[in-house]
Amino acid sequence: MDVLHTPREEGISLLHRAQRLLRQLRRWKTLHDQRHQLASLSDAMLKDIGLSRADAEREASRPFWDDPGKPL
């Protein structure tokens, strides 16, 4: 019997990988939505939060997988 790779442990590992994937997909969806919302703000709203239209467009143009919260 291989004590390092029991079917139960492999199932748990698969479950953890699936959960991690779902968390990542949710994070990407959130980033996409936030960037879309940022792009739709008026110039006055952007000024209120200290951003220019160019700043907002630059952020909104980033791909969904480009996560500023993820360590390099």
Side-chain angles (χ1 to χ4, degrees):
M1 180 173 155
D2 184 359
V3 295
L4 296 177
H5 299 289
T6 66
R8 177 169 159 61
E9 289 172 344
E10 289 175 6
I12 291 171
S13 177
L14 181 59
L15 176 63
H16 285 285
R17 288 193 306 253
Q19 289 171 334
R20 190 171 56 231
L21 175 61
L22 285 174
R23 278 193 305 272
Q24 185 62 57
L25 292 172
R26 281 190 214 110
R27 174 66 179 156
W28 285 343
K29 172 76 167 106
T30 298
L31 285 172
H32 170 79
D33 292 347
Q34 289 174 347
R35 288 173 177 156
H36 181 75
Q37 291 171 352
L38 182 65
S40 70
L41 294 178
S42 69
D43 289 338
M45 290 177 177
L46 290 171
K47 184 178 178 185
D48 284 346
I49 61 173
L51 295 176
S52 68
R53 173 61 52 196
D55 294 332
E57 289 176 1
R58 185 173 30 259
E59 181 63 28
S61 70
R62 291 170 65 176
F64 66 87
W65 63 84
D66 189 358
D67 187 345
K70 189 173 183 179
L72 298 174

